Amino acid sequence: MGAVSLAVLAACSSGNSASPPSGTSSPAAAPPAASSPSTPLSAEDKAKNDALTAYRGMWQDFVESGRTSDWQSPKLGQHATGVALTNLSRGLYADHYNGLVTKGDPVLNPTVSSVEPAGDPKKIIVSDCGDSTNWLKYRADNGQLADNEPGGRQAINAIVEKQSDGSWKVSDFGVHDVGTC
């Protein structure tokens, strides 16, 4: 996310504050395979992959919606729920209200930091160091940068939970200040 997007988002999120994610893969990139196709994944490995896919999907949905500040996009609920969905929508609404759009893409490199309960996960904590260097806020009316604050690397923590339909969605996240990772 751009520094402005992240600042707005961080202000709404349960985490500290600031901007977007970093890493070496794009938000839409699929998580690396945990094993070869001939070896079935354990329930825990499948849950980890599904949680990372949901996390990346949430940011991709937010990136796409941010290009027009579409705070009502139905895509936002595909990978986010609860506080996470509320914060995404509020951040986009604030951008819409202030005449801002977000251009570019964050770089993500999420990892699973905990699984609860082990063996049959229902809740997974994802840690990331997102990079918003190339994901910034612009004025929608003239295309100029919204501010002079550069993006950068920032710590992101997310809770991804298994839903009653078996899908995984991000239920909460916190984006910390630029320079926190």
Side-chain angles (χ1 to χ4, degrees):
M1 296 164 81
V4 175
S5 296
L6 290 181
V8 170
L9 185 57
C12 297
S13 73
S14 64
N16 291 345
S17 72
S19 33
S22 88
T24 58
S25 64
S26 73
S35 64
S36 68
S38 60
T39 305
L41 292 177
S42 68
E44 187 170 315
D45 286 339
K46 180 175 180 344
K48 287 178 181 179
N49 285 343
D50 290 348
L52 290 171
T53 297
Y55 175 83
R56 286 185 177 96
M58 177 192 76
W59 285 114
Q60 183 59 44
D61 297 342
F62 188 68
V63 167
E64 288 178 24
S65 298
R67 291 184 181 128
T68 59
S69 295
D70 183 3
W71 58 280
Q72 296 178 320
S73 172
K75 284 187 169 190
L76 295 172
Q78 291 177 344
H79 298 101
T81 190
V83 173
L85 179 57
T86 298
N87 290 341
L88 294 173
S89 296
R90 283 182 180 170
L92 289 168
Y93 178 78
D95 287 349
H96 170 79
Y97 182 82
N98 291 308
L100 303 175
V101 295
T102 308
K103 296 181 184 180
D105 291 292
V107 179
L108 305 172
N109 192 27
T111 59
V112 171
S113 56
S114 73
V115 174
E116 298 172 22
D120 186 24
K122 305 290 186 238
K123 176 179 170 182
I124 293 181
I125 305 299
V126 173
S127 298
D128 196 354
C129 180
D131 189 345
S132 62
T133 301
N134 297 309
W135 188 37
L136 302 173
K137 299 284 182 180
Y138 293 82
R139 291 181 42 157
D141 61 353
N142 64 15
Q144 297 296 311
L145 270 171
D147 59 35
N148 292 327
E149 297 179 27
R153 296 170 57 90
Q154 47 207 125
I156 302 170
N157 299 304
I159 299 171
V160 187
E161 295 182 288
K162 189 171 188 177
Q163 305 299 297
S164 60
D165 66 359
S167 67
W168 286 85
K169 292 187 179 188
V170 178
S171 60
D172 198 2
F173 66 92
V175 179
H176 301 269
D177 292 329
V178 170
T180 53
C181 61

